[in-house]
Amino acid sequence: MANQQAQALEYLKEHNIPEMFENMTAQLVFQRPENPRQFLTEYIEKLQAQQAKVDDGQAPDISALPVLFSDDNAAAVFRLFDVTGRGWITLEQYKKGMRNMFITDYNETPAGFVDNRITLDTFVAECRQGVAASTLQ
């Protein structure tokens, strides 16, 4: 019995099922659609369309993905770390910012990491990519 449970948990983890359900639940709570079943059906269809692009070697249309965070949200997180208005944050602040946005799959070496200066534009772009990566896994 323990072996079957371990296999089931491994399967769920391998296919990112818990994350997918967490994302769908968060979307439901955030959007509060009149018809939750129809909303979830459309949500999955959007994911499938973008995943098909990835599977065909194309870049997904990030703007078509259902996400909770906007560029404005990412910019607000950036400003929390750039309190003096320098226009950049450190690599460590960037990583903390990604965690604050609940993005776990992100580029650990973004543009500017060598100089330890990640700009707002880079942070926002990396947030978009991180959200897309976690959504399409």
PDB file of all heavy atoms in Angstrom, residues 61-87:
ATOM      1  N   ASP A  61       2.223  32.376 -26.452  1.00  0.00           N
ATOM      2  CA  ASP A  61       1.743  33.746 -26.349  1.00  0.00           C
ATOM      3  C   ASP A  61       1.450  33.994 -24.874  1.00  0.00           C
ATOM      4  O   ASP A  61       0.389  33.623 -24.373  1.00  0.00           O
ATOM      5  CB  ASP A  61       0.476  33.932 -27.194  1.00  0.00           C
ATOM      6  CG  ASP A  61      -0.083  35.335 -27.090  1.00  0.00           C
ATOM      7  OD1 ASP A  61       0.517  36.191 -26.396  1.00  0.00           O
ATOM      8  OD2 ASP A  61      -1.149  35.579 -27.680  1.00  0.00           O
ATOM      9  N   ILE A  62       2.410  34.573 -24.192  1.00  0.00           N
ATOM     10  CA  ILE A  62       2.305  34.747 -22.746  1.00  0.00           C
ATOM     11  C   ILE A  62       1.075  35.558 -22.368  1.00  0.00           C
ATOM     12  O   ILE A  62       0.430  35.290 -21.363  1.00  0.00           O
ATOM     13  CB  ILE A  62       3.593  35.376 -22.188  1.00  0.00           C
ATOM     14  CG1 ILE A  62       4.761  34.405 -22.402  1.00  0.00           C
ATOM     15  CG2 ILE A  62       3.453  35.714 -20.717  1.00  0.00           C
ATOM     16  CD1 ILE A  62       6.108  34.961 -22.092  1.00  0.00           C
ATOM     17  N   SER A  63       0.710  36.527 -23.206  1.00  0.00           N
ATOM     18  CA  SER A  63      -0.455  37.348 -22.881  1.00  0.00           C
ATOM     19  C   SER A  63      -1.751  36.544 -22.935  1.00  0.00           C
ATOM     20  O   SER A  63      -2.765  36.968 -22.383  1.00  0.00           O
ATOM     21  CB  SER A  63      -0.542  38.547 -23.826  1.00  0.00           C
ATOM     22  OG  SER A  63      -0.787  38.109 -25.148  1.00  0.00           O
ATOM     23  N   ALA A  64      -1.746  35.382 -23.587  1.00  0.00           N
ATOM     24  CA  ALA A  64      -2.949  34.554 -23.678  1.00  0.00           C
ATOM     25  C   ALA A  64      -3.091  33.598 -22.502  1.00  0.00           C
ATOM     26  O   ALA A  64      -4.118  32.948 -22.352  1.00  0.00           O
ATOM     27  CB  ALA A  64      -2.944  33.764 -24.984  1.00  0.00           C
ATOM     28  N   LEU A  65      -2.062  33.528 -21.663  1.00  0.00           N
ATOM     29  CA  LEU A  65      -2.133  32.626 -20.522  1.00  0.00           C
ATOM     30  C   LEU A  65      -2.954  33.244 -19.395  1.00  0.00           C
ATOM     31  O   LEU A  65      -2.853  34.434 -19.124  1.00  0.00           O
ATOM     32  CB  LEU A  65      -0.720  32.323 -19.992  1.00  0.00           C
ATOM     33  CG  LEU A  65       0.166  31.509 -20.905  1.00  0.00           C
ATOM     34  CD1 LEU A  65       1.578  31.447 -20.347  1.00  0.00           C
ATOM     35  CD2 LEU A  65      -0.397  30.109 -21.074  1.00  0.00           C
ATOM     36  N   PRO A  66      -3.756  32.427 -18.734  1.00  0.00           N
ATOM     37  CA  PRO A  66      -4.511  32.939 -17.590  1.00  0.00           C
ATOM     38  C   PRO A  66      -3.593  33.051 -16.381  1.00  0.00           C
ATOM     39  O   PRO A  66      -3.085  32.057 -15.889  1.00  0.00           O
ATOM     40  CB  PRO A  66      -5.586  31.869 -17.380  1.00  0.00           C
ATOM     41  CG  PRO A  66      -5.010  30.623 -17.968  1.00  0.00           C
ATOM     42  CD  PRO A  66      -4.070  31.044 -19.051  1.00  0.00           C
ATOM     43  N   VAL A  67      -3.322  34.262 -15.948  1.00  0.00           N
ATOM     44  CA  VAL A  67      -2.437  34.481 -14.805  1.00  0.00           C
ATOM     45  C   VAL A  67      -3.082  35.454 -13.828  1.00  0.00           C
ATOM     46  O   VAL A  67      -3.947  36.243 -14.188  1.00  0.00           O
ATOM     47  CB  VAL A  67      -1.054  35.018 -15.239  1.00  0.00           C
ATOM     48  CG1 VAL A  67      -0.311  33.999 -16.070  1.00  0.00           C
ATOM     49  CG2 VAL A  67      -1.182  36.325 -15.978  1.00  0.00           C
ATOM     50  N   LEU A  68      -2.607  35.386 -12.587  1.00  0.00           N
ATOM     51  CA  LEU A  68      -3.125  36.270 -11.550  1.00  0.00           C
ATOM     52  C   LEU A  68      -2.367  37.581 -11.470  1.00  0.00           C
ATOM     53  O   LEU A  68      -2.891  38.571 -10.984  1.00  0.00           O
ATOM     54  CB  LEU A  68      -3.038  35.581 -10.182  1.00  0.00           C
ATOM     55  CG  LEU A  68      -3.902  34.343 -10.007  1.00  0.00           C
ATOM     56  CD1 LEU A  68      -3.626  33.709  -8.651  1.00  0.00           C
ATOM     57  CD2 LEU A  68      -5.364  34.681 -10.145  1.00  0.00           C
ATOM     58  N   PHE A  69      -1.130  37.584 -11.918  1.00  0.00           N
ATOM     59  CA  PHE A  69      -0.286  38.752 -11.759  1.00  0.00           C
ATOM     60  C   PHE A  69      -0.115  39.497 -13.066  1.00  0.00           C
ATOM     61  O   PHE A  69       0.121  38.903 -14.100  1.00  0.00           O
ATOM     62  CB  PHE A  69       1.088  38.347 -11.220  1.00  0.00           C
ATOM     63  CG  PHE A  69       1.020  37.692  -9.870  1.00  0.00           C
ATOM     64  CD1 PHE A  69       1.298  36.356  -9.736  1.00  0.00           C
ATOM     65  CD2 PHE A  69       0.658  38.410  -8.751  1.00  0.00           C
ATOM     66  CE1 PHE A  69       1.228  35.734  -8.500  1.00  0.00           C
ATOM     67  CE2 PHE A  69       0.587  37.806  -7.521  1.00  0.00           C
ATOM     68  CZ  PHE A  69       0.875  36.460  -7.386  1.00  0.00           C
ATOM     69  N   SER A  70      -0.197  40.800 -12.988  1.00  0.00           N
ATOM     70  CA  SER A  70       0.015  41.643 -14.162  1.00  0.00           C
ATOM     71  C   SER A  70       1.417  42.243 -14.103  1.00  0.00           C
ATOM     72  O   SER A  70       2.120  42.120 -13.094  1.00  0.00           O
ATOM     73  CB  SER A  70      -1.015  42.767 -14.183  1.00  0.00           C
ATOM     74  OG  SER A  70      -0.775  43.652 -13.104  1.00  0.00           O
ATOM     75  N   ASP A  71       1.795  42.918 -15.178  1.00  0.00           N
ATOM     76  CA  ASP A  71       3.075  43.628 -15.179  1.00  0.00           C
ATOM     77  C   ASP A  71       3.103  44.678 -14.072  1.00  0.00           C
ATOM     78  O   ASP A  71       4.150  44.919 -13.464  1.00  0.00           O
ATOM     79  CB  ASP A  71       3.306  44.306 -16.530  1.00  0.00           C
ATOM     80  CG  ASP A  71       3.622  43.308 -17.636  1.00  0.00           C
ATOM     81  OD1 ASP A  71       3.730  42.102 -17.365  1.00  0.00           O
ATOM     82  OD2 ASP A  71       3.770  43.758 -18.788  1.00  0.00           O
ATOM     83  N   ASP A  72       1.963  45.300 -13.798  1.00  0.00           N
ATOM     84  CA  ASP A  72       1.894  46.292 -12.720  1.00  0.00           C
ATOM     85  C   ASP A  72       2.194  45.664 -11.365  1.00  0.00           C
ATOM     86  O   ASP A  72       2.850  46.280 -10.521  1.00  0.00           O
ATOM     87  CB  ASP A  72       0.513  46.961 -12.682  1.00  0.00           C
ATOM     88  CG  ASP A  72       0.275  47.870 -13.868  1.00  0.00           C
ATOM     89  OD1 ASP A  72       1.258  48.295 -14.519  1.00  0.00           O
ATOM     90  OD2 ASP A  72      -0.906  48.151 -14.156  1.00  0.00           O
ATOM     91  N   ASN A  73       1.701  44.433 -11.155  1.00  0.00           N
ATOM     92  CA  ASN A  73       2.003  43.735  -9.904  1.00  0.00           C
ATOM     93  C   ASN A  73       3.497  43.455  -9.780  1.00  0.00           C
ATOM     94  O   ASN A  73       4.094  43.647  -8.715  1.00  0.00           O
ATOM     95  CB  ASN A  73       1.234  42.414  -9.819  1.00  0.00           C
ATOM     96  CG  ASN A  73      -0.255  42.581  -9.808  1.00  0.00           C
ATOM     97  OD1 ASN A  73      -0.954  41.907 -10.559  1.00  0.00           O
ATOM     98  ND2 ASN A  73      -0.792  43.472  -8.987  1.00  0.00           N
ATOM     99  N   ALA A  74       4.101  43.024 -10.883  1.00  0.00           N
ATOM    100  CA  ALA A  74       5.542  42.748 -10.876  1.00  0.00           C
ATOM    101  C   ALA A  74       6.325  44.029 -10.602  1.00  0.00           C
ATOM    102  O   ALA A  74       7.283  44.034  -9.827  1.00  0.00           O
ATOM    103  CB  ALA A  74       5.977  42.120 -12.198  1.00  0.00           C
ATOM    104  N   ALA A  75       5.906  45.132 -11.223  1.00  0.00           N
ATOM    105  CA  ALA A  75       6.584  46.414 -11.006  1.00  0.00           C
ATOM    106  C   ALA A  75       6.449  46.854  -9.552  1.00  0.00           C
ATOM    107  O   ALA A  75       7.396  47.405  -8.970  1.00  0.00           O
ATOM    108  CB  ALA A  75       6.015  47.477 -11.944  1.00  0.00           C
ATOM    109  N   ALA A  76       5.296  46.606  -8.949  1.00  0.00           N
ATOM    110  CA  ALA A  76       5.100  46.973  -7.540  1.00  0.00           C
ATOM    111  C   ALA A  76       6.040  46.175  -6.641  1.00  0.00           C
ATOM    112  O   ALA A  76       6.626  46.730  -5.697  1.00  0.00           O
ATOM    113  CB  ALA A  76       3.650  46.751  -7.136  1.00  0.00           C
ATOM    114  N   VAL A  77       6.207  44.890  -6.943  1.00  0.00           N
ATOM    115  CA  VAL A  77       7.142  44.072  -6.163  1.00  0.00           C
ATOM    116  C   VAL A  77       8.566  44.594  -6.344  1.00  0.00           C
ATOM    117  O   VAL A  77       9.327  44.722  -5.389  1.00  0.00           O
ATOM    118  CB  VAL A  77       7.033  42.578  -6.552  1.00  0.00           C
ATOM    119  CG1 VAL A  77       8.165  41.760  -5.952  1.00  0.00           C
ATOM    120  CG2 VAL A  77       5.681  42.024  -6.126  1.00  0.00           C
ATOM    121  N   PHE A  78       8.920  44.933  -7.584  1.00  0.00           N
ATOM    122  CA  PHE A  78      10.251  45.488  -7.858  1.00  0.00           C
ATOM    123  C   PHE A  78      10.484  46.736  -6.996  1.00  0.00           C
ATOM    124  O   PHE A  78      11.527  46.888  -6.363  1.00  0.00           O
ATOM    125  CB  PHE A  78      10.378  45.836  -9.344  1.00  0.00           C
ATOM    126  CG  PHE A  78      11.705  46.434  -9.722  1.00  0.00           C
ATOM    127  CD1 PHE A  78      12.757  45.629 -10.109  1.00  0.00           C
ATOM    128  CD2 PHE A  78      11.906  47.818  -9.678  1.00  0.00           C
ATOM    129  CE1 PHE A  78      13.983  46.175 -10.469  1.00  0.00           C
ATOM    130  CE2 PHE A  78      13.129  48.368 -10.027  1.00  0.00           C
ATOM    131  CZ  PHE A  78      14.173  47.539 -10.417  1.00  0.00           C
ATOM    132  N   ARG A  79       9.495  47.628  -6.966  1.00  0.00           N
ATOM    133  CA  ARG A  79       9.640  48.880  -6.205  1.00  0.00           C
ATOM    134  C   ARG A  79       9.774  48.642  -4.704  1.00  0.00           C
ATOM    135  O   ARG A  79      10.382  49.449  -4.001  1.00  0.00           O
ATOM    136  CB  ARG A  79       8.472  49.815  -6.513  1.00  0.00           C
ATOM    137  CG  ARG A  79       8.591  50.456  -7.897  1.00  0.00           C
ATOM    138  CD  ARG A  79       7.590  51.580  -8.104  1.00  0.00           C
ATOM    139  NE  ARG A  79       6.207  51.125  -8.111  1.00  0.00           N
ATOM    140  CZ  ARG A  79       5.577  50.625  -9.160  1.00  0.00           C
ATOM    141  NH1 ARG A  79       6.206  50.534 -10.326  1.00  0.00           N
ATOM    142  NH2 ARG A  79       4.327  50.236  -9.081  1.00  0.00           N
ATOM    143  N   LEU A  80       9.226  47.530  -4.210  1.00  0.00           N
ATOM    144  CA  LEU A  80       9.403  47.194  -2.793  1.00  0.00           C
ATOM    145  C   LEU A  80      10.877  46.976  -2.462  1.00  0.00           C
ATOM    146  O   LEU A  80      11.321  47.273  -1.351  1.00  0.00           O
ATOM    147  CB  LEU A  80       8.616  45.935  -2.435  1.00  0.00           C
ATOM    148  CG  LEU A  80       7.102  46.065  -2.374  1.00  0.00           C
ATOM    149  CD1 LEU A  80       6.467  44.696  -2.156  1.00  0.00           C
ATOM    150  CD2 LEU A  80       6.684  47.024  -1.274  1.00  0.00           C
ATOM    151  N   PHE A  81      11.623  46.463  -3.427  1.00  0.00           N
ATOM    152  CA  PHE A  81      13.047  46.210  -3.219  1.00  0.00           C
ATOM    153  C   PHE A  81      13.909  47.408  -3.631  1.00  0.00           C
ATOM    154  O   PHE A  81      15.013  47.567  -3.136  1.00  0.00           O
ATOM    155  CB  PHE A  81      13.488  44.951  -3.976  1.00  0.00           C
ATOM    156  CG  PHE A  81      12.912  43.694  -3.401  1.00  0.00           C
ATOM    157  CD1 PHE A  81      11.847  43.056  -4.005  1.00  0.00           C
ATOM    158  CD2 PHE A  81      13.426  43.161  -2.224  1.00  0.00           C
ATOM    159  CE1 PHE A  81      11.306  41.908  -3.463  1.00  0.00           C
ATOM    160  CE2 PHE A  81      12.894  42.007  -1.675  1.00  0.00           C
ATOM    161  CZ  PHE A  81      11.824  41.374  -2.291  1.00  0.00           C
ATOM    162  N   ASP A  82      13.421  48.215  -4.527  1.00  0.00           N
ATOM    163  CA  ASP A  82      14.158  49.395  -4.992  1.00  0.00           C
ATOM    164  C   ASP A  82      13.610  50.642  -4.292  1.00  0.00           C
ATOM    165  O   ASP A  82      13.138  51.580  -4.926  1.00  0.00           O
ATOM    166  CB  ASP A  82      14.033  49.527  -6.515  1.00  0.00           C
ATOM    167  CG  ASP A  82      14.864  50.683  -7.069  1.00  0.00           C
ATOM    168  OD1 ASP A  82      15.854  51.079  -6.414  1.00  0.00           O
ATOM    169  OD2 ASP A  82      14.499  51.190  -8.148  1.00  0.00           O
ATOM    170  N   VAL A  83      13.715  50.652  -2.974  1.00  0.00           N
ATOM    171  CA  VAL A  83      13.098  51.722  -2.186  1.00  0.00           C
ATOM    172  C   VAL A  83      13.746  53.083  -2.410  1.00  0.00           C
ATOM    173  O   VAL A  83      13.119  54.113  -2.221  1.00  0.00           O
ATOM    174  CB  VAL A  83      13.091  51.380  -0.675  1.00  0.00           C
ATOM    175  CG1 VAL A  83      12.177  50.202  -0.402  1.00  0.00           C
ATOM    176  CG2 VAL A  83      14.492  51.099  -0.163  1.00  0.00           C
ATOM    177  N   THR A  84      14.998  53.091  -2.842  1.00  0.00           N
ATOM    178  CA  THR A  84      15.684  54.373  -3.063  1.00  0.00           C
ATOM    179  C   THR A  84      15.549  54.855  -4.501  1.00  0.00           C
ATOM    180  O   THR A  84      16.046  55.929  -4.834  1.00  0.00           O
ATOM    181  CB  THR A  84      17.180  54.266  -2.702  1.00  0.00           C
ATOM    182  OG1 THR A  84      17.785  53.257  -3.515  1.00  0.00           O
ATOM    183  CG2 THR A  84      17.375  53.938  -1.228  1.00  0.00           C
ATOM    184  N   GLY A  85      14.893  54.065  -5.351  1.00  0.00           N
ATOM    185  CA  GLY A  85      14.672  54.478  -6.729  1.00  0.00           C
ATOM    186  C   GLY A  85      15.906  54.455  -7.610  1.00  0.00           C
ATOM    187  O   GLY A  85      16.017  55.232  -8.552  1.00  0.00           O
ATOM    188  N   ARG A  86      16.837  53.547  -7.348  1.00  0.00           N
ATOM    189  CA  ARG A  86      18.060  53.440  -8.154  1.00  0.00           C
ATOM    190  C   ARG A  86      17.768  52.983  -9.583  1.00  0.00           C
ATOM    191  O   ARG A  86      18.555  53.227 -10.487  1.00  0.00           O
ATOM    192  CB  ARG A  86      19.024  52.423  -7.532  1.00  0.00           C
ATOM    193  CG  ARG A  86      19.486  52.760  -6.142  1.00  0.00           C
ATOM    194  CD  ARG A  86      20.329  51.635  -5.610  1.00  0.00           C
ATOM    195  NE  ARG A  86      19.481  50.422  -5.536  1.00  0.00           N
ATOM    196  CZ  ARG A  86      19.725  49.385  -4.762  1.00  0.00           C
ATOM    197  NH1 ARG A  86      20.795  49.357  -4.018  1.00  0.00           N
ATOM    198  NH2 ARG A  86      18.922  48.351  -4.748  1.00  0.00           N
ATOM    199  N   GLY A  87      16.654  52.230  -9.742  1.00  0.00           N
ATOM    200  CA  GLY A  87      16.346  51.690 -11.061  1.00  0.00           C
ATOM    201  C   GLY A  87      16.835  50.272 -11.249  1.00  0.00           C
ATOM    202  O   GLY A  87      16.701  49.711 -12.336  1.00  0.00           O
TER     203      GLY A  87
END
